[in-house]
C-alpha cells in the first residue's frame, strides 16, 4: 500500500471515531433519509415485525462484523410510528461456531402458553422469536432447523429455549418460519419453506413449542430457483364483505425485473392446508429492489391493518452496492388490501397513512395544466430535491409515454411513467447514476397496468431509492438509484407537450434521522 493511501485510510478511520463525522455519516449522499438503514454494516431481510407494549419492533438480518453478507444475526430497532426508528444493540447474535440466525418471526405469547414468560405485575405475556438456525459442518454440509427464543424484557435480551429445535426435517434448506395465530381453530400456524424444492411446509401448535406438520404446498409452477420468506394471511376484498387468503413466496431468482422478487398466490386456507386459485403468476412489486417481505404479526389494539415491509435489495448485487460502509435499506411500511381491478383480483399496496407525517413543505399543487406549463411552474418555483413525494395524474386513457423525470442532472435521470403501448407503468434507471458495480443494475422495469383508464402515480423519492405506487397501489415498482449529488431536478414528460396533466402535487419530505449517529 502506498504511503499516501495508507495516510488517507488511517485518517478516514480516525475521523470515523469523531462524533461530528459520525453524525454527518447519516447525512451521506446515498443515505436514505426516511427509509430504515443500519448505522453501519450489512442488512437484508426484515424479521420479527411486531407491535408490543407501545413499540413497533423491527428485527433484521444483520452482519455485525462487516458490510457484506455473513455472521447473520438479528439487528434491532424500535419505533412508535413505523417510520422513526431508534437503533438498539444486536438482539440475537450468531451462535459462533454453531449456527447463524436466519430469518423468522416474533409473536406475542399473551397467555404464556409456552410457559416461557415470567409473569410480572399480573401480565403473563412475553415475546417469542421463531427463527432458522443455519449450520454448516466442517465438510460444508448444511443443516437448517427452526429454533425458539424468548424475551421477558420487551425484546432487549433473548434466551434460547432449551428444547430446540422446535421443527427439524433434517434438511439443508428448511427455513424462514412465519408464525401466526389462527383464530377459528385457536392455534398457532407456522409456514416455512424447503427453499431448493420450492415447497411450503405448514405446521400447527397449541403451545408454540410442539409443532405438527399438517401439509405441504408447491412448487406451484416454479421449476427453478428458491422459495424464501413465505407468509400466509387473510385479506378483505375492498367494497365487499369477502376475504381471500394470500400466500406470499419470495423467489430467488426468477422475478420479472431479474433476480429476486416477491410472488403471491391467492386461495383458501382451512387451518391445515392452503389451496391456490387458478390465477396467473402474480408479483407484489415489479421493480428490481423489493424482496424478503415480512408482515407485522400484531398491530396495536383496534388497528386491523395488514402491514408489511420488504428489503430494498436484490441478491444479484446486494454485496456490491456502492454504499460500502453500510448496505441495505427497508421499504416504507405498506398497507395491504385486495381489490377487484378490471375484473381481476389483485393485492394492492399503499404507504401507511403515517407516511403523510413526513411531509415538510408543499412545493407545488396544481389542477389541470399542460405539460409545458407544469414544467414552467416547476422551473419558476425552483422545485427540486432528493426527498420528494410526487402525486401526478394524467388524463384518463391517454396515449404516448408520460411520466416524471427525477434526480435529473446533466447526464442523469430516473424516469417513472406509463407506457400505454406496453400496457405498463415503468421505472427506467438506465441513466440514474452509478451503476458500474453490477451488470445487472442499470435497466428499465415494467409493471402491467390492468386498468387502462387510470393514469395515477404516487412516488416516494429518497436519497437512493424510488417507490412508485401506480393507480392507488394496483402495481408497485421499487428501485434503488445512485445519482450524483448535483442531479436534483424534476420534470414532467409526455410525447404531446400540450396535453394536460389532471393534477400535480409535490412535497419535500423530512429526514427521520436527525441526531442519529453512524459508523461508530
Ligand atoms: C432471504 C434469505 C432467507 C434467509 C436469509 C439469510 O433474503 O436468503 O432465506 O433466511 O436471507 O440472510
Amino acid at each position: 500500500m502506498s504511503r499516501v493511501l495508507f495516510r488517507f485510510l488511517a485518517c478516514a478511520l480516525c475521523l470515523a471515531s469523531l462524533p461530528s463525522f459520525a453524525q454527518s455519516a447519516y447525512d451521506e449522499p446515498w443515505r436514505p433519509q426516511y427509509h430504515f438503514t443500519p448505522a453501519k454494516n450489512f442488512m437484508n431481510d426484515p424479521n420479527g415485525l411486531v407491535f408490543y407494549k407501545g413499540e413497533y419492533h423491527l428485527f433484521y438480518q444483520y452482519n455485525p462484523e462487516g458490510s457484506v453478507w455473513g455472521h447473520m444475526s438479528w439487528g434491532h430497532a424500535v419505533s412508535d410510528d413505523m417510520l422513526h426508528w431508534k437503533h438498539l444493540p444486536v438482539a440475537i447474535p450468531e451462535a459462533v461456531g454453531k449456527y447463524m440466525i436466519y430469518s423468522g418471526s416474533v409473536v406475542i405469547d399473551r397467555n404464556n402458553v409456552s410457559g416461557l414468560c415470567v409473569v410480572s405485575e399480573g401480565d403473563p405475556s412475553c415475546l417469542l422469536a421463531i427463527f432458522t438456525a443455519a449450520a454448516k459442518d466442517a465438510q460444508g454440509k448444511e443443516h437448517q432447523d427452526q429454533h425458539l427464543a424468548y424475551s421477558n424484557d420487551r425484546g432487549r435480551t433473548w434466551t434460547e429455549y432449551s428444547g430446540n429445535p422446535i421443527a427439524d426435517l433434517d434438511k439443508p434448506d428448511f427455513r424462514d418460519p412465519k408464525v401466526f395465530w389462527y383464530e377459528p381453530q385457536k392455534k398457532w400456524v407456522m409456514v416455512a419453506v424447503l427453499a431448493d424444492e420450492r415447497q411450503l411446509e405448514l405446521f400447527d401448535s397449541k403451545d408454540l413449542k410442539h409443532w405438527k406438520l399438517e401439509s405441504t404446498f408447491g412448487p406451484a409452477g416454479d421449476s427453478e430457483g428458491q422459495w424464501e420468506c413465505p407468509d400466509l394471511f387473510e385479506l378483505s376484498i375492498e367494497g365487499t364483505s369477502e376475504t381471500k387468503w394470500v400466500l406470499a413466496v419470495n423467489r430467488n431468482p426468477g422475478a420479472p425485473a431479474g433476480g429476486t422478487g416477491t410472488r403471491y398466490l391467492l386461495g383458501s386456507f382451512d387451518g391445515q392446508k392452503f389451496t391456490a386459485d387458478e390465477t396467473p403468476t402474480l408479483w407484489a412489486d415489479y421493480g428490481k429492489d423489493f424482496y424478503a417481505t415480512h408482515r407485522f404479526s400484531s398491530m396495536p389494539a383496534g388497528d386491523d391493518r395488514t402491514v408489511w415491509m420488504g428489503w430494498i435489495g436484490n441478491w444479484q448485487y446486494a454485496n456490491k452496492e456502492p454504499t460500502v460502509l453500510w448496505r441495505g435499506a427497508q421499504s416504507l411500511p405498506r398497507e395491504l388490501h385486495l381489490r377487484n381491478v378490471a375484473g381481476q383480483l389483485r393485492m394492492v399496496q399503499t404507504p401507511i397513512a403515517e407516511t403523510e407525517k413526513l411531509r415538510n413543505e408543499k412545493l407545488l399543487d396544481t389542477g389541470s395544466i399542460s405539460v409545458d406549463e407544469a414544467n414552467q411552474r416547476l422551473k419558476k418555483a425552483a422545485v427540486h430535491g432528493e426527498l420528494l413525494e410526487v402525486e401526478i395524474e394524467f388524463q384518463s386513457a391517454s396515449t404516448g409515454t408520460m411520466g416524471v423525470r427525477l434526480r435529473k442532472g446533466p447526464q442523469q435521470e430516473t424516469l417513472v411513467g406509463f407506457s400505454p403501448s406496453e400496457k405498463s407503468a415503468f421505472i427506467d434507471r438506465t441513466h440514474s447514476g452509478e451503476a458500474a458495480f453490477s451488470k445487472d443494475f442499470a435497466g428499465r422495469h415494467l409493471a402491467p397496468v390492468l386498468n387502462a383508464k387510470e393514469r395515477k402515480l404516487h412516488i416516494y423519492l429518497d436519497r437512493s431509492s424510488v417507490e412508485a405506487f401506480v393507480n392507488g397501489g394496483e402495481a408497485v415498482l421499487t428501485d434503488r438509484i445512485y445519482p450524483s449529488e448535483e442531479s436534483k431536478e424534476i420534470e414532467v414528460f409526455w410525447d404531446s407537450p400540450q396535453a394536460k396533466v389532471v393534477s400535480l402535487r409535490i412535497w419535500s419530505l423530512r429526514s427521520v434521522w436527525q441526531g442519529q449517529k453512524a459508523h461508530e
Side-chain angles (χ1 to χ4, degrees), residues 46-52 55-60 74-77 91-92 101-110 126-132 147-151 154-156 158 176-181 188-189 208 294-299:
N47 295 152
L49 296 174
V50 66
F51 179 85
Y52 183 58
E55 293 174 317
Y56 292 95
H57 291 262
L58 163 62
F59 299 90
Y60 53 89
W74 275 25
H76 191 195
I92 311 181
I101 314 297
Y102 274 15
S103 283
S105 43
V106 168
V107 295
I108 306 171
D109 180 2
R110 290 194 194 278
C126 65
L127 289 178
L128 297 188
I130 303 93
F131 59 83
T132 302
H147 282 208
L148 179 66
Y150 53 98
S151 169
R154 293 156 58 241
R156 271 52 178 187
W158 293 84
D176 302 345
K178 173 72 187 174
V179 172
F180 62 93
W181 176 248
W188 295 95
V189 173
L208 291 150
H294 195 78
R295 177 177 54 94
F296 278 88
S297 70
S298 74
M299 293 289 283

Coordinates of all heavy atoms in Angstrom, one line a residue, residues 46-52 55-60 74-77 91-92 101-110 126-132 147-151 154-156 158 176-181 188-189 208 294-299:
P46 N -36.2 -7.9 6.5 CA -36.8 -7.5 7.8 C -37.3 -8.8 8.5 O -37.7 -9.8 7.8 CB -38.0 -6.7 7.4 CG -38.3 -7.1 5.9 CD -37.0 -7.6 5.4
N47 N -37.2 -8.9 9.8 CA -37.6 -10.0 10.6 C -38.4 -9.6 11.8 O -38.3 -8.4 12.2 CB -36.4 -10.8 11.2 CG -35.5 -11.4 10.1 OD1 -34.3 -11.6 10.3 ND2 -36.0 -11.8 9.0
G48 N -39.2 -10.5 12.3 CA -39.8 -10.3 13.6 C -40.6 -9.0 13.8 O -40.7 -8.5 14.9
L49 N -41.3 -8.5 12.8 CA -42.0 -7.3 12.9 C -43.2 -7.5 13.9 O -44.0 -8.4 13.7 CB -42.6 -6.8 11.6 CG -41.5 -6.4 10.5 CD1 -42.2 -6.1 9.2 CD2 -40.7 -5.1 11.0
V50 N -43.3 -6.7 14.9 CA -44.4 -6.9 15.9 C -44.6 -5.6 16.7 O -43.7 -4.8 16.8 CB -44.0 -8.1 16.9 CG1 -42.8 -7.7 17.7 CG2 -45.2 -8.5 17.8
F51 N -45.8 -5.4 17.1 CA -46.1 -4.2 18.0 C -46.4 -4.8 19.4 O -47.2 -5.7 19.6 CB -47.4 -3.4 17.5 CG -47.7 -2.3 18.4 CD1 -47.1 -1.1 18.3 CD2 -48.6 -2.4 19.4 CE1 -47.4 0.0 19.1 CE2 -48.9 -1.4 20.3 CZ -48.3 -0.2 20.1
Y52 N -45.6 -4.3 20.4 CA -45.8 -4.9 21.7 C -45.5 -3.8 22.8 O -44.5 -3.1 22.7 CB -44.7 -6.0 21.9 CG -44.8 -6.7 23.2 CD1 -46.0 -7.3 23.7 CD2 -43.7 -6.8 24.0 CE1 -46.0 -8.0 24.9 CE2 -43.7 -7.5 25.3 CZ -44.9 -8.1 25.7 OH -44.9 -8.8 26.9
E55 N -44.5 -0.3 21.4 CA -43.4 -0.1 20.5 C -43.6 -1.0 19.3 O -43.9 -2.2 19.4 CB -42.1 -0.5 21.1 CG -41.6 0.3 22.3 CD -40.3 -0.3 22.9 OE1 -40.3 -1.5 23.1 OE2 -39.4 0.5 23.2
Y56 N -43.3 -0.5 18.1 CA -43.1 -1.4 16.9 C -41.7 -1.8 16.9 O -40.7 -1.1 17.2 CB -43.3 -0.6 15.7 CG -44.8 -0.1 15.5 CD1 -45.2 1.1 15.8 CD2 -45.7 -1.0 14.9 CE1 -46.5 1.5 15.7 CE2 -47.0 -0.6 14.7 CZ -47.4 0.7 15.1 OH -48.7 1.1 14.9
H57 N -41.5 -3.1 16.7 CA -40.1 -3.7 16.6 C -39.8 -4.1 15.2 O -40.6 -4.6 14.5 CB -40.0 -5.0 17.4 CG -40.1 -4.7 18.9 ND1 -39.0 -4.6 19.7 CD2 -41.2 -4.6 19.7 CE1 -39.4 -4.4 21.0 NE2 -40.7 -4.4 21.0
L58 N -38.6 -3.7 14.8 CA -38.0 -4.2 13.5 C -36.8 -4.9 13.9 O -35.8 -4.3 14.4 CB -37.7 -3.0 12.6 CG -36.8 -3.2 11.4 CD1 -37.3 -4.3 10.4 CD2 -36.5 -1.9 10.7
F59 N -36.8 -6.3 13.7 CA -35.5 -7.0 13.7 C -35.1 -7.2 12.3 O -35.9 -7.1 11.3 CB -35.8 -8.4 14.4 CG -36.2 -8.2 15.8 CD1 -37.6 -8.2 16.1 CD2 -35.3 -8.1 16.9 CE1 -38.0 -8.0 17.4 CE2 -35.8 -7.9 18.2 CZ -37.1 -7.9 18.5
Y60 N -33.9 -7.5 12.0 CA -33.4 -7.6 10.6 C -32.2 -8.5 10.5 O -31.4 -8.6 11.4 CB -33.2 -6.2 10.0 CG -32.3 -5.3 10.7 CD1 -30.9 -5.3 10.5 CD2 -32.8 -4.4 11.7 CE1 -30.1 -4.5 11.2 CE2 -32.0 -3.6 12.4 CZ -30.6 -3.6 12.2 OH -29.8 -2.8 12.9
W74 N -29.6 -11.1 14.4 CA -30.8 -10.2 14.3 C -30.4 -8.9 14.8 O -30.2 -8.7 16.0 CB -31.9 -10.8 15.1 CG -32.8 -11.8 14.3 CD1 -32.4 -12.6 13.3 CD2 -34.1 -12.1 14.5 NE1 -33.4 -13.4 12.8 CE2 -34.5 -13.1 13.6 CE3 -35.1 -11.7 15.5 CZ2 -35.8 -13.7 13.5 CZ3 -36.4 -12.3 15.4 CH2 -36.7 -13.2 14.4
G75 N -30.4 -7.9 13.9 CA -30.3 -6.5 14.4 C -31.6 -6.0 14.9 O -32.6 -6.8 14.8
H76 N -31.7 -4.9 15.6 CA -32.9 -4.5 16.2 C -33.1 -3.0 16.3 O -32.2 -2.2 16.5 CB -32.9 -5.0 17.7 CG -34.1 -4.9 18.4 ND1 -34.2 -5.1 19.8 CD2 -35.4 -4.7 18.0 CE1 -35.5 -5.0 20.2 NE2 -36.2 -4.7 19.2
A77 N -34.4 -2.6 16.0 CA -34.7 -1.1 16.2 C -36.2 -1.1 16.6 O -36.9 -2.0 16.4 CB -34.6 -0.4 14.8
A91 N -29.9 -8.0 18.7 CA -30.9 -8.7 19.6 C -30.5 -10.2 19.8 O -30.4 -10.7 20.9 CB -32.3 -8.6 19.1
I92 N -30.2 -10.9 18.6 CA -29.9 -12.3 18.7 C -28.6 -12.5 17.8 O -28.7 -12.4 16.6 CB -31.0 -13.2 18.2 CG1 -32.4 -12.8 18.8 CG2 -30.7 -14.7 18.4 CD1 -33.6 -13.7 18.4
I101 N -28.1 -17.0 12.6 CA -29.5 -16.7 12.8 C -30.2 -16.2 11.6 O -30.0 -15.0 11.2 CB -29.7 -15.7 14.0 CG1 -28.8 -16.0 15.2 CG2 -31.2 -15.6 14.4 CD1 -29.0 -17.4 15.9
Y102 N -30.9 -17.0 10.9 CA -31.5 -16.6 9.6 C -32.9 -16.0 10.0 O -33.3 -15.9 11.1 CB -31.7 -17.8 8.7 CG -30.5 -18.0 7.8 CD1 -29.2 -17.5 8.1 CD2 -30.6 -18.9 6.7 CE1 -28.1 -17.8 7.3 CE2 -29.5 -19.2 5.9 CZ -28.3 -18.6 6.2 OH -27.2 -18.9 5.4
S103 N -33.7 -15.7 8.9 CA -34.9 -15.0 9.0 C -36.0 -15.8 9.8 O -36.0 -17.0 9.9 CB -35.5 -14.7 7.6 OG -34.8 -13.6 7.1
G104 N -36.9 -15.0 10.4 CA -38.0 -15.6 11.2 C -38.9 -14.6 11.7 O -38.8 -13.4 11.3
S105 N -39.8 -15.0 12.6 CA -40.8 -14.0 13.1 C -40.8 -13.9 14.6 O -40.2 -14.7 15.3 CB -42.2 -14.4 12.5 OG -42.4 -15.8 12.6
V106 N -41.6 -12.9 15.1 CA -41.8 -12.8 16.5 C -43.3 -12.7 16.8 O -44.0 -12.0 16.0 CB -41.1 -11.5 17.0 CG1 -41.5 -11.1 18.5 CG2 -39.6 -11.6 17.0
V107 N -43.7 -13.4 17.8 CA -45.1 -13.3 18.2 C -45.2 -13.0 19.7 O -44.3 -13.2 20.4 CB -45.9 -14.6 17.9 CG1 -46.0 -14.9 16.4 CG2 -45.3 -15.8 18.7
I108 N -46.4 -12.5 20.1 CA -46.7 -12.2 21.5 C -47.3 -13.5 22.1 O -48.4 -13.9 21.6 CB -47.6 -11.0 21.7 CG1 -47.0 -9.8 21.0 CG2 -47.8 -10.8 23.2 CD1 -48.0 -8.6 20.9
D109 N -46.7 -14.1 23.1 CA -47.4 -15.2 23.8 C -48.2 -14.5 24.9 O -47.7 -14.3 26.0 CB -46.3 -16.1 24.3 CG -47.0 -17.3 25.1 OD1 -48.2 -17.4 25.1 OD2 -46.2 -18.1 25.6
R110 N -49.4 -14.1 24.6 CA -50.2 -13.3 25.5 C -50.6 -14.0 26.8 O -50.6 -13.4 27.9 CB -51.5 -12.8 24.9 CG -51.3 -11.8 23.8 CD -52.6 -11.1 23.3 NE -52.3 -10.4 22.1 CZ -51.7 -9.2 22.0 NH1 -51.4 -8.6 23.1 NH2 -51.5 -8.7 20.8
C126 N -45.1 -12.5 27.0 CA -43.7 -12.2 26.6 C -43.6 -12.3 25.1 O -44.6 -12.7 24.4 CB -42.7 -13.1 27.3 SG -42.8 -14.8 26.9
L127 N -42.4 -12.0 24.6 CA -42.2 -12.1 23.1 C -41.5 -13.4 22.9 O -40.5 -13.8 23.6 CB -41.3 -11.0 22.6 CG -42.0 -9.6 22.6 CD1 -41.0 -8.5 22.1 CD2 -43.2 -9.6 21.7
L128 N -41.9 -14.1 21.8 CA -41.2 -15.3 21.3 C -40.7 -15.1 19.9 O -41.5 -14.6 19.1 CB -42.2 -16.5 21.3 CG -42.8 -17.0 22.7 CD1 -43.5 -18.3 22.5 CD2 -41.7 -17.1 23.8
A129 N -39.5 -15.5 19.7 CA -38.9 -15.4 18.3 C -38.8 -16.8 17.8 O -38.3 -17.7 18.5 CB -37.5 -14.7 18.4
I130 N -39.2 -17.0 16.6 CA -39.0 -18.3 15.9 C -38.2 -18.1 14.7 O -38.6 -17.3 13.8 CB -40.4 -18.9 15.5 CG1 -41.3 -19.1 16.8 CG2 -40.3 -20.3 14.9 CD1 -42.2 -17.9 17.0
F131 N -37.0 -18.6 14.6 CA -36.1 -18.3 13.5 C -35.4 -19.6 13.1 O -35.4 -20.6 13.7 CB -35.1 -17.2 14.0 CG -34.3 -17.7 15.2 CD1 -33.1 -18.5 15.0 CD2 -34.6 -17.3 16.5 CE1 -32.4 -18.9 16.1 CE2 -33.9 -17.7 17.6 CZ -32.8 -18.5 17.4
T132 N -34.6 -19.4 12.0 CA -33.9 -20.6 11.4 C -32.5 -20.5 12.0 O -31.8 -19.5 11.9 CB -33.8 -20.5 9.9 OG1 -35.2 -20.5 9.4 CG2 -33.0 -21.7 9.3
H147 N -35.7 -22.7 15.5 CA -35.4 -22.5 16.9 C -36.4 -21.5 17.5 O -36.9 -20.6 16.8 CB -34.0 -22.0 17.2 CG -33.0 -23.1 17.1 ND1 -31.8 -23.0 17.7 CD2 -33.0 -24.3 16.3 CE1 -31.1 -24.1 17.5 NE2 -31.8 -24.9 16.6
L148 N -36.6 -21.6 18.8 CA -37.4 -20.7 19.6 C -36.5 -20.0 20.6 O -35.6 -20.6 21.2 CB -38.5 -21.5 20.3 CG -39.5 -20.8 21.2 CD1 -40.4 -20.0 20.3 CD2 -40.3 -21.9 21.9
A149 N -36.8 -18.7 20.8 CA -36.1 -17.9 21.8 C -37.2 -17.0 22.5 O -38.2 -16.7 21.8 CB -35.0 -17.1 21.3
Y150 N -37.0 -16.6 23.7 CA -38.0 -15.8 24.4 C -37.3 -14.6 25.1 O -36.1 -14.6 25.4 CB -38.7 -16.7 25.4 CG -37.9 -17.4 26.4 CD1 -37.6 -16.9 27.7 CD2 -37.3 -18.6 26.1 CE1 -36.9 -17.6 28.6 CE2 -36.5 -19.3 27.0 CZ -36.3 -18.8 28.3 OH -35.5 -19.5 29.1
S151 N -38.2 -13.6 25.2 CA -37.7 -12.3 25.8 C -38.7 -11.8 26.8 O -39.9 -11.7 26.5 CB -37.4 -11.3 24.7 OG -37.2 -10.0 25.3
R154 N -39.1 -7.0 26.8 CA -39.6 -6.2 25.6 C -38.5 -6.3 24.4 O -38.2 -5.3 23.8 CB -39.9 -4.8 25.9 CG -41.1 -4.7 26.8 CD -41.2 -3.4 27.7 NE -41.1 -2.2 26.9 CZ -40.2 -1.3 27.0 NH1 -39.2 -1.5 27.8 NH2 -40.2 -0.2 26.3
G155 N -38.0 -7.5 24.2 CA -37.2 -7.7 23.0 C -35.7 -7.3 23.2 O -35.0 -7.4 22.2
R156 N -35.3 -6.8 24.4 CA -34.0 -6.3 24.5 C -33.0 -7.5 24.6 O -31.9 -7.5 24.0 CB -33.8 -5.4 25.7 CG -34.1 -3.9 25.5 CD -35.3 -3.7 24.8 NE -35.6 -2.3 24.6 CZ -36.8 -1.8 24.1 NH1 -37.7 -2.6 23.8 NH2 -36.9 -0.5 23.9
W158 N -32.6 -11.9 24.8 CA -33.3 -13.2 24.3 C -32.5 -14.4 24.9 O -31.3 -14.4 24.9 CB -33.3 -13.2 22.8 CG -34.2 -12.2 22.2 CD1 -33.8 -10.9 21.9 CD2 -35.5 -12.3 21.8 NE1 -34.9 -10.2 21.4 CE2 -35.9 -11.0 21.3 CE3 -36.5 -13.3 21.8 CZ2 -37.2 -10.8 20.8 CZ3 -37.8 -13.1 21.4 CH2 -38.1 -11.8 20.9
D176 N -36.9 -19.9 7.3 CA -37.8 -18.7 7.2 C -39.2 -18.9 7.8 O -40.2 -18.6 7.1 CB -37.8 -18.1 5.8 CG -36.5 -17.8 5.2 OD1 -35.5 -17.8 6.0 OD2 -36.3 -17.7 4.0
P177 N -39.3 -19.3 9.0 CA -40.6 -19.6 9.6 C -41.4 -18.3 9.9 O -40.8 -17.3 10.5 CB -40.3 -20.3 11.0 CG -38.9 -19.7 11.3 CD -38.2 -19.6 10.0
K178 N -42.6 -18.2 9.5 CA -43.5 -17.1 9.8 C -44.6 -17.8 10.6 O -45.3 -18.7 10.2 CB -44.1 -16.5 8.5 CG -45.2 -15.5 8.8 CD -44.6 -14.2 9.4 CE -45.8 -13.2 9.8 NZ -45.4 -12.1 10.5
V179 N -44.8 -17.3 11.8 CA -45.8 -17.9 12.8 C -47.0 -16.9 12.9 O -46.8 -15.7 13.1 CB -45.2 -18.2 14.1 CG1 -46.2 -18.6 15.2 CG2 -44.1 -19.3 14.0
F180 N -48.2 -17.4 12.9 CA -49.4 -16.5 13.1 C -50.5 -17.3 13.8 O -50.5 -18.5 13.9 CB -49.9 -15.9 11.8 CG -50.4 -16.9 10.8 CD1 -51.7 -17.3 10.8 CD2 -49.5 -17.5 9.9 CE1 -52.2 -18.2 9.8 CE2 -50.0 -18.5 9.0 CZ -51.3 -18.8 8.9
W181 N -51.4 -16.5 14.5 CA -52.5 -17.1 15.2 C -53.6 -17.4 14.3 O -54.0 -16.5 13.5 CB -52.9 -16.1 16.3 CG -54.1 -16.5 17.1 CD1 -55.3 -15.9 17.1 CD2 -54.1 -17.5 18.1 NE1 -56.1 -16.5 18.0 CE2 -55.4 -17.5 18.6 CE3 -53.2 -18.5 18.5 CZ2 -55.8 -18.4 19.6 CZ3 -53.6 -19.4 19.5 CH2 -54.9 -19.4 20.0
W188 N -51.7 -21.9 16.8 CA -50.7 -21.2 16.1 C -50.3 -22.0 14.8 O -50.4 -23.2 14.8 CB -49.4 -21.0 16.9 CG -49.6 -20.2 18.1 CD1 -49.9 -20.6 19.4 CD2 -49.5 -18.8 18.2 NE1 -50.0 -19.5 20.2 CE2 -49.8 -18.4 19.5 CE3 -49.2 -17.8 17.2 CZ2 -49.8 -17.0 19.9 CZ3 -49.2 -16.4 17.6 CH2 -49.5 -16.1 19.0
V189 N -50.1 -21.2 13.7 CA -49.7 -21.9 12.5 C -48.3 -21.4 12.1 O -48.0 -20.2 12.3 CB -50.7 -21.5 11.4 CG1 -50.2 -22.1 10.0 CG2 -52.0 -22.1 11.7
L208 N -46.7 -23.3 21.0 CA -45.5 -22.7 20.3 C -44.2 -23.5 20.5 O -43.2 -23.0 20.0 CB -45.4 -21.3 20.8 CG -46.5 -20.3 20.3 CD1 -46.7 -19.2 21.3 CD2 -46.1 -19.7 18.9
H294 N -42.0 -9.1 5.0 CA -42.3 -9.6 6.3 C -43.5 -8.7 6.8 O -43.4 -7.5 6.7 CB -41.1 -9.5 7.2 CG -41.3 -10.3 8.5 ND1 -41.2 -11.7 8.5 CD2 -41.6 -9.9 9.7 CE1 -41.5 -12.1 9.7 NE2 -41.7 -11.1 10.5
R295 N -44.4 -9.3 7.4 CA -45.7 -8.7 7.9 C -45.7 -8.5 9.4 O -45.2 -9.4 10.1 CB -46.9 -9.6 7.4 CG -48.2 -9.1 7.8 CD -49.2 -10.1 7.2 NE -49.0 -11.5 7.5 CZ -49.5 -12.2 8.5 NH1 -50.4 -11.6 9.3 NH2 -49.2 -13.4 8.8
F296 N -46.2 -7.4 9.9 CA -46.3 -7.2 11.3 C -47.2 -8.3 11.9 O -48.3 -8.5 11.4 CB -46.9 -5.9 11.7 CG -45.8 -4.8 11.7 CD1 -45.5 -4.1 10.5 CD2 -45.1 -4.5 12.8 CE1 -44.6 -3.1 10.5 CE2 -44.1 -3.5 12.8 CZ -43.9 -2.8 11.6
S297 N -46.8 -9.0 12.9 CA -47.6 -10.1 13.4 C -48.6 -9.7 14.4 O -49.5 -10.4 14.7 CB -46.7 -11.2 14.0 OG -46.1 -10.8 15.2
S298 N -48.5 -8.5 14.9 CA -49.6 -7.9 15.7 C -49.5 -6.4 15.6 O -48.4 -5.9 15.6 CB -49.6 -8.4 17.1 OG -48.7 -7.8 17.9
M299 N -50.7 -5.8 15.5 CA -50.7 -4.3 15.5 C -51.4 -3.9 16.7 O -52.0 -4.7 17.5 CB -51.6 -3.9 14.2 CG -50.9 -4.3 12.9 SD -49.4 -3.2 12.5 CE -50.2 -1.7 12.0

